[in-house]
Amino acid sequence: MDKQVSTLKKSYEPSKEVKKHSIVKDYEKVYLESINNRENFWAGEAKKLDWYRKWDKVLDDSKHPFYEWFTGGKINIIHNALDRHQKNATRNKLAIIWEGEPGDVRTFSYHALNREVSKFANILRSMGAKPGEVITIYMPQIPEIIIAMLACAKIGAIHSVVYGGFSVEALAERIEDANSRILITADGGFRRGKATSLKNIANEAMKRSPTIEVCITVKRTGEECYMENDRDFWYHDLMSMPLACTNCYTEHTDAEDPLFILYTSGTTGKPKGLVHTHGGYSVYTASTFRYVFDIKPEDRFWCAADPGWITGHSYMVYGPLINGATIMMYEGAPNHPYPNRWWQMIEKYGINILYTSPTAIRGLMRFGSSWADRHNLSSLRLLGSVGEPINPEAWKWYYEVIGKGRCPIMDTWWQTETGGHMITPLPSMTLKPGSAAKPFFGIEAAVVDDAGKEVKAGEEGTLVIKAPWPGMARTILGDPDRYVEKYWEKYSKQKWYLAGDSARKDEDGYYWIIGRIDDVIKVSGYRLGSAEIESALVSHPAVTEAAAIGLPDELRGNIIHATVILRQGFEPGDKLAEDLKSHVEKEIGPIARPSFLVFAESLPKTRSGKIMRRVLKARALGQETGDLSTLEE
Ligand code: PRX
C-alpha cells in the first residue's frame, strides 16, 4: 500500500475554510424547508434564471407519472447558458479551456462561444433544421461537440449525443430510433496517441439506418474519410460561408419542450431514449451545480467525463455554463503520454474542482502516488465522484494524495434519468467515505422492501424517490408505456420512482449505494445492458444464444462475462472466442468487449424462458447457485 495513505476514518469534518466559503451552511435547515414546501423551493431556484415568460404553475402533477414543471413558462437553456452572459462581465470570461491529447490548446470566452454557437445554429437552420427535430451528434471530446449541442438547443432542435466510444450498431440503432435527419460528427479524435476514425464508423452506421440526409464533419485528425456528394459537408467549409453569421435568434421554447434525448441501457436490448426538457432541466442542473460544487466566479471546474454521457451534459456543459463558470475539457486518455497527464493539467490550468469516476481514480492510483506528487495541486479545493460506488481504497487515495486532505469529496449519486445529482454531500457536510450522504434539496428518498415498507437502518433495500423533481426525464422517446413500466409500476400505489439500485440508509440518515438490482452492468462507470451485449453476440453467424453478466473487478467495478451457445457446424475454440469478443466491440464499442467468453451447451432458464443470470454469476464466481426451483433445465 502507498506510504502516504493513512488509515481511513469513519467520517471527515469539513475544515473551517471550507465551511466559511460554503453557500449552504446548514443543510438540514434548508433541506427541511425544501421538503415542506417543495414547489416554493423550486420556484425560488427557477427565479434565479431568466425566463422569456414566467410559468403559470410550478408543478402539474395531474398526469402522473408524466409530470410537468413550470408549465406555461417560456425559456431556452441557451438564453441562460450564453445569451444573458453577453450583457455583463462574464462575456469576457473563459467558458472553455480545451486541451487536445497531442497538446494543442484552444480557449473560448463566453463571447467567442456564443459567436461559434450562433454561426453553427445558422448553418443548421439553413440545412432546414426545425424546432422539435432530433439531431444526432457523434463526436470526440473536442470543443465542437459542445458548440453542436448548444447550437441545436438554440434553434429548439433536440440533440441526441451518442458517445464517441460507441460503434456502428449502437450508433445506427440510436439514429434510427430518433429518426434523425442530420448527423454531426468528426473525422476522428486522438486517444492514446492514435487517431480514432469516427467518420468511417458513421459512414457504416448511415448505411444501416438511411434516415440521415445531411452529415456535417469536423476535421480534427486529418485522416482520410469518405465524403458523399450532397450528403456530406465539412464543418469548416460551412462555418466560413456568409450564411454562418453571428446574428442568430434564440428560439423561445416552452419550459416543457424537449432539450435533448440521451440513450441509456436498460434491461431489454433496445436502448432507451430519455427525454429532458428546457425548463426543469435548466433549473435542476443550475441549482445542483451551484450548491454541490459551491461554485465561485474565480473557479476553474473540470468534469473529466465525456459529453456523450449525462455527466457531461449536466456538469460539463449545461450546469457550468448557466452559472457562468469556466470549464476544462481534455480530449484524450488520462495516462497519455504518462500517468501524470491529469495532474500536469491541473497544475498548468490551476483547476479548482475535479469531478470524475472511481474507475478513473483507481486507474491512476495503480501507477502510484509519485506521478501526482511531482505536481503542484494546491489549486484544488473540491473533488467529486460519480458513476459507481467508490471503494475505501480509492476514496482514501483521492482524498489524501490528490486532495492533500484539504478537499472534500462529493460522492454524487444520480442517473441519466434524474438529470442531476439526487443523493450527494454538500461541501459543508460531514463526509463518510463510501456514502453518497443525503438527498439533495427537494428530493425525498427512501430504502424500502418489496411492499414499500421502509427497511430498518443499516439494512439493504430498494432505493426509491418519493416525489417528482424538475430534472427528471419526462418519458422514453416513442415509448411512454415503457417509461411507466420501468420506473413507476413497481410502486404505483405510492407513486414512487424506482431507481433500479439497492441501498442502505444508516442511523444518521446517510445513504450507501450498493448497486443495480436489474440487468444493467456498470463497466468502468459506463452503463451497459446484458441484453445489448447478448444481441450483439447473437448477431454473429456462429451464435444462437448468449447470456452476459457482470463480475466484480478491482479496477473497472465490473467486467463482462459472456456465455454463448454455438450454432451447428461451429466449433468452440480460442480463435472463435476472440472473434466473438471483437464482434461485440465492433457492434457496440470497446467498453462492451467481454473479458471472459465461455461456450456452453445450454443456458439456465426459468420455465417461462428467462435466462437466470444469477445462476451464471454464482457459477462464474464459484459460489452456491441458491434456489433453483424455478430452473427448467
Ligand atoms: O447504479 C447507479 C450508478 O450509476 C447508475 C446510473 O448510471 P448512468 O445513468 O449511466 O449515470 C451515471 C452518472 C450519473 C445508478 O443507477 N451510480 C451513479 N452514481 C453513483 C452510482 N453508484 C454509486 N455511487 C454513486 N455516486
Side-chain angles (χ1 to χ4, degrees), residues 135-183:
I135 297 181
T136 302
I137 300 175
Y138 177 62
M139 288 172 87
Q141 281 218 49
I142 53 176
E144 285 80 0
I145 187 173
I146 297 185
I147 294 169
M149 289 165 75
L150 300 175
C152 290
K154 188 171 172 83
I155 63 170
I158 303 165
H159 59 71
S160 164
V161 181
V162 179
Y163 169 56
F166 275 138
S167 198
V168 183
E169 184 54 29
L171 175 60
E173 206 174 15
R174 285 157 175 78
I175 290 174
E176 196 160 330
D177 186 75
N179 204 9
S180 226
R181 201 176 60 80
I182 301 179
L183 172 67

Side-chain angles (χ1 to χ4, degrees), residues 310-311 386-389 411-417 501 513 516 522 527:
I310 192 69
T311 309
V386 59
E388 42 181 331
D411 178 358
T412 60
W413 174 84
W414 58 295
Q415 311 174 297
T416 309
E417 291 85 345
D501 280 314
I513 311 297
R516 299 290 308 189
K522 279 265 162 172
R527 179 165 161 181

Side-chain angles (χ1 to χ4, degrees), residues 98-106 220 329-332 341:
W98 174 85
E99 189 168 302
E101 201 189 66
D104 43 340
V105 177
R106 288 165 75 195
R220 163 68 183 141
M329 182 178 186
Y330 167 59
E331 178 185 33
R341 185 64 189 265

